[in-house]
Amino acid sequence: MPNNASPHYSPDYCHSVQIYYEDTDFSGVVYHPNFLKYFERAREHVIGAGVLSRLWHEQQLGFAVYKTEMLCLEGVEFADLVQVRTRFYFESKYRTVWLQEIWREGGKKAAVSATIEMVCMDSQRRLCPMPEALLHSLSQDFIAPPGL
Amino acid sequence: MPNNASPHYSPDYCHSVQIYYEDTDFSGVVYHPNFLKYFERAREHVIGAGVLSRLWHEQQLGFAVYKTEMLCLEGVEFADLVQVRTRFYFESKYRTVWLQEIWREGGKKAAVSATIEMVCMDSQRRLCPMPEALLHSLSQDFIAPPGL
Amino acid sequence: MPNNASPHYSPDYCHSVQIYYEDTDFSGVVYHPNFLKYFERAREHVIGAGVLSRLWHEQQLGFAVYKTEMLCLEGVEFADLVQVRTRFYFESKYRTVWLQEIWREGGKKAAVSATIEMVCMDSQRRLCPMPEALLHSLSQDFIAPPGL
Amino acid sequence: MPNNASPHYSPDYCHSVQIYYEDTDFSGVVYHPNFLKYFERAREHVIGAGVLSRLWHEQQLGFAVYKTEMLCLEGVEFADLVQVRTRFYFESKYRTVWLQEIWREGGKKAAVSATIEMVCMDSQRRLCPMPEALLHSLSQDFIAPPGL
């Protein structure tokens, strides 16, 4: 599954985020670094918080964000209930690439979109291959690109 | 309903909070100021985020935290799904008092407990009485203290 | 030095905090849980971040917040440069009590005041006495209460 | 000054950030969205927090992050004192581009690097040209690219 020219993608996942006081700043909209938080919450739901916790405590492995690109197209406001849409693919045994968007209710396009690369690392921050079992369980419902 | 010796209480509300990376610090447990965030999220669900948003944008009124007392009895960990239990009463037309607790799954007592006083203020931070309609809607399912 | 009826106090320490976008919420002032962050930053400067880091990595000991009481008297705004005033005493070999205030420029009284109790714990969150060397170095410039 | 093929750059600015408990997560290093906070703090020091506050309150203008690209090359740890190095240029009267890096003490390369685009907006999030006075004051010590 890794390293194809046309990678197999995960299904689209959807995660809701309620916007609270803590999310905004005095300009009245969400403070932009918080979007990276919502993207991470969504990834944790895809992988499973329990899976991530065991991976860390039993194998001293974790996913570190290596690269992010984010486009903030529209402000998100207090009391909004936004949807974080997520899909990802494996670029290699070491690296996953996540395509994530934030949608406001009734929005015609994403308010925020991002591409985020994660690498698997041990507790000394050395690059490590993802365990086979994890690779397997994460990719079992992957979708072939159209035309394959 | 305000200012009784034995106040009428709201019912108990329950709000779930998933503990993410963002919530923890390097000591391995939730960073303590974040508990105040969870308590506020829970209060926003009780009052209603939309209600709070309209109150601010239409009447320039909001609730400000005036006083907090918090006891942190147990550490809360990454991947925990905790319950925030909330009830409150009106101390006056200006002030609400919130009794809030955080419970871990299977916990025999609260991991964190707090008493939080909120006052109603306008955008210049002048004390204001809560609008009658809000007082009424918030207190309509209040419970008399035992013995009344 | 611990456990006197009239405890010996540390000198007053002062730490500056610049208020950034990240500190505020859409109501225009600092989001209240952030005050607990500023108090902790100030304590870390009193104890020394390097001291805390070595204590954790070499002896698996840290300070956990056990109890906080906070009074928010005045709003703090974007672009404010506030002073965090801190003094503390040892209640026992296990516990320190911190009296902390936030002052705005030109303020006639504290905008926020707090009493925060910290306990010394190991990485399994078991109560531990503070190491003698730390107790000694932290208390060497303590001030006797008036009248002693 | 805007819109040159080879833009004039600001001088390099340097801003120190102390890494506290609040900055880390249970993996032991800084939680990645916080790097965007440090970059913004540094930009606020370049522009001036008071300037930004007056711009907002008197002219209802602010800078919104439109695009970020960030590369996280090395973990940053509790108790680190990092340097945020910043320079920027005007891409147009509407848009500034910021090149920012985070350096650990003794580091041979940046631990984190980013390119961040900011646009000038009013409180309804409509694109606005930066006021001439601000353009002028921000660019008066700009440096011509080599060869001009």
Side-chain angles (χ1 to χ4, degrees):
Chain A
M1 110 227 63
N3 257 340
N4 289 339
S6 258
H8 285 54
Y9 275 95
S10 77
D12 278 314
Y13 297 97
C14 198
H15 171 68
S16 296
V17 172
Q18 173 74 46
I19 305 302
Y20 299 108
Y21 269 79
E22 67 187 81
D23 297 296
T24 59
D25 65 35
F26 79 94
S27 76
V29 291
V30 168
Y31 178 63
H32 70 279
N34 291 337
F35 295 128
L36 292 188
K37 292 189 180 183
Y38 313 154
F39 290 132
E40 176 160 302
R41 292 180 199 172
R43 295 193 303 269
E44 293 183 27
H45 282 281
V46 170
I47 303 178
V51 170
L52 285 165
S53 176
R54 283 189 298 276
L55 196 65
W56 181 256
H57 289 111
E58 293 167 12
Q59 303 187 55
Q60 286 75 54
L61 291 176
F63 293 102
V65 167
Y66 171 70
K67 191 176 176 181
T68 71
E69 290 185 14
M70 179 168 64
L71 219 51
C72 302
L73 300 163
E74 198 183 340
V76 174
E77 291 176 17
F78 174 68
D80 277 2
L81 181 69
V82 298
Q83 301 299 322
V84 184
R85 298 187 189 167
T86 297
R87 59 179 179 152
F88 75 100
Y89 62 90
F90 292 94
E91 204 185 73
S92 71
K93 284 188 176 177
Y94 300 86
R95 187 181 307 238
T96 51
V97 179
W98 300 73
L99 310 173
Q100 300 190 279
E101 292 178 339
I102 290 168
W103 288 73
R104 299 181 72 185
E105 257 177 305
K108 290 192 180 106
K109 57 180 176 54
V112 182
S113 69
T115 304
I116 293 166
E117 293 185 23
M118 308 271 288
V119 289
C120 187
M121 283 185 166
D122 66 15
S123 56
Q124 272 73 50
R125 294 185 67 82
R126 286 174 301 216
L127 207 61
C128 293
M130 281 172 262
E132 280 298 329
L134 181 65
L135 267 170
H136 183 74
S137 75
L138 283 176
S139 59
Q140 62 189 352
D141 52 2
F142 269 35
I143 296 155
L148 283 202
Chain B
M1 109 228 62
N3 256 342
N4 289 339
S6 254
H8 286 53
Y9 275 95
S10 77
D12 279 314
Y13 296 98
C14 198
H15 171 68
S16 296
V17 172
Q18 172 72 48
I19 305 302
Y20 299 108
Y21 268 80
E22 67 187 81
D23 297 295
T24 59
D25 66 34
F26 79 93
S27 77
V29 291
V30 168
Y31 178 62
H32 70 279
N34 291 337
F35 295 127
L36 293 186
K37 292 190 179 181
Y38 313 153
F39 290 131
E40 176 159 304
R41 293 181 197 171
R43 294 193 304 269
E44 292 183 28
H45 282 281
V46 170
I47 303 178
V51 170
L52 286 166
S53 176
R54 284 190 298 277
L55 195 66
W56 181 255
H57 290 110
E58 293 167 11
Q59 303 187 57
Q60 288 73 55
L61 290 177
F63 293 102
V65 167
Y66 171 69
K67 191 177 175 180
T68 71
E69 290 184 13
M70 178 167 65
L71 219 51
C72 303
L73 299 164
E74 198 182 339
V76 174
E77 291 177 17
F78 174 69
D80 277 2
L81 180 70
V82 297
Q83 301 299 322
V84 184
R85 298 187 190 168
T86 297
R87 59 180 179 150
F88 74 101
Y89 62 90
F90 292 94
E91 204 187 73
S92 71
K93 282 186 177 181
Y94 300 87
R95 188 182 305 239
T96 50
V97 179
W98 300 73
L99 310 173
Q100 299 190 280
E101 292 178 339
I102 290 168
W103 287 73
R104 300 181 71 186
E105 257 177 307
K108 290 190 179 108
K109 57 182 177 53
V112 183
S113 69
T115 304
I116 292 166
E117 293 186 25
M118 309 271 289
V119 290
C120 187
M121 285 185 163
D122 67 13
S123 57
Q124 273 72 52
R125 294 185 68 82
R126 287 175 300 217
L127 207 61
C128 293
M130 280 171 262
E132 281 296 329
L134 181 65
L135 266 170
H136 183 73
S137 75
L138 282 177
S139 59
Q140 62 189 352
D141 52 1
F142 268 34
I143 296 155
L148 283 200
Chain C
M1 110 224 65
N3 257 341
N4 289 340
S6 259
H8 286 53
Y9 275 95
S10 77
D12 279 313
Y13 297 98
C14 197
H15 171 69
S16 296
V17 172
Q18 173 73 48
I19 305 302
Y20 299 108
Y21 269 80
E22 69 188 78
D23 297 296
T24 59
D25 65 34
F26 80 95
S27 77
V29 291
V30 169
Y31 178 62
H32 70 280
N34 291 337
F35 295 129
L36 292 187
K37 292 190 181 183
Y38 312 154
F39 290 132
E40 175 159 304
R41 293 181 199 172
R43 293 193 303 269
E44 292 183 29
H45 282 282
V46 169
I47 303 178
V51 170
L52 285 165
S53 176
R54 283 190 299 276
L55 195 66
W56 181 256
H57 289 110
E58 293 168 12
Q59 303 187 55
Q60 287 74 54
L61 291 176
F63 293 102
V65 167
Y66 171 70
K67 191 177 177 180
T68 71
E69 292 184 14
M70 179 166 66
L71 219 51
C72 302
L73 300 165
E74 197 183 339
V76 174
E77 291 176 18
F78 174 68
D80 277 2
L81 181 69
V82 298
Q83 301 298 323
V84 184
R85 298 185 190 168
T86 298
R87 59 179 178 152
F88 74 101
Y89 62 90
F90 292 94
E91 205 186 72
S92 70
K93 284 187 175 177
Y94 301 86
R95 187 182 305 240
T96 51
V97 179
W98 299 73
L99 311 173
Q100 299 190 279
E101 293 179 338
I102 291 168
W103 287 73
R104 299 182 72 186
E105 258 177 304
K108 290 194 180 103
K109 57 180 176 55
V112 182
S113 69
T115 304
I116 293 165
E117 293 185 23
M118 309 270 289
V119 289
C120 186
M121 283 185 163
D122 67 13
S123 56
Q124 271 74 50
R125 292 185 69 82
R126 287 175 300 218
L127 206 62
C128 293
M130 281 173 262
E132 281 297 328
L134 181 65
L135 267 169
H136 184 73
S137 75
L138 283 176
S139 60
Q140 61 189 352
D141 52 1
F142 269 34
I143 295 156
L148 283 201
Chain D
M1 111 227 61
N3 256 340
N4 290 339
S6 256
H8 286 54
Y9 274 95
S10 76
D12 279 313
Y13 297 97
C14 197
H15 171 68
S16 296
V17 172
Q18 173 73 48
I19 305 302
Y20 298 108
Y21 268 80
E22 67 187 80
D23 297 295
T24 59
D25 66 33
F26 80 93
S27 76
V29 291
V30 168
Y31 178 63
H32 70 279
N34 291 337
F35 295 128
L36 292 186
K37 292 190 179 183
Y38 312 154
F39 290 132
E40 176 159 302
R41 293 180 198 172
R43 294 192 303 270
E44 293 183 28
H45 282 281
V46 169
I47 303 177
V51 170
L52 286 166
S53 176
R54 284 189 299 276
L55 195 67
W56 181 255
H57 290 109
E58 294 167 11
Q59 303 188 56
Q60 288 73 55
L61 291 177
F63 293 101
V65 167
Y66 171 69
K67 190 177 177 180
T68 71
E69 290 184 13
M70 179 168 66
L71 219 50
C72 303
L73 300 165
E74 197 182 340
V76 174
E77 290 176 18
F78 173 69
D80 277 2
L81 180 70
V82 297
Q83 300 299 322
V84 184
R85 297 186 190 168
T86 297
R87 59 180 180 152
F88 74 101
Y89 62 90
F90 292 94
E91 204 186 73
S92 71
K93 282 187 177 179
Y94 301 86
R95 187 183 305 240
T96 50
V97 178
W98 299 72
L99 311 173
Q100 299 189 280
E101 293 179 337
I102 290 167
W103 288 72
R104 300 182 72 186
E105 258 178 305
K108 289 192 180 106
K109 56 182 178 54
V112 183
S113 68
T115 303
I116 292 166
E117 293 186 25
M118 308 271 289
V119 290
C120 187
M121 284 184 163
D122 67 13
S123 57
Q124 273 73 49
R125 293 186 68 84
R126 287 174 300 218
L127 206 61
C128 293
M130 282 171 262
E132 280 297 328
L134 181 65
L135 266 170
H136 183 73
S137 75
L138 281 177
S139 58
Q140 61 189 354
D141 52 1
F142 268 35
I143 295 156
L148 285 200

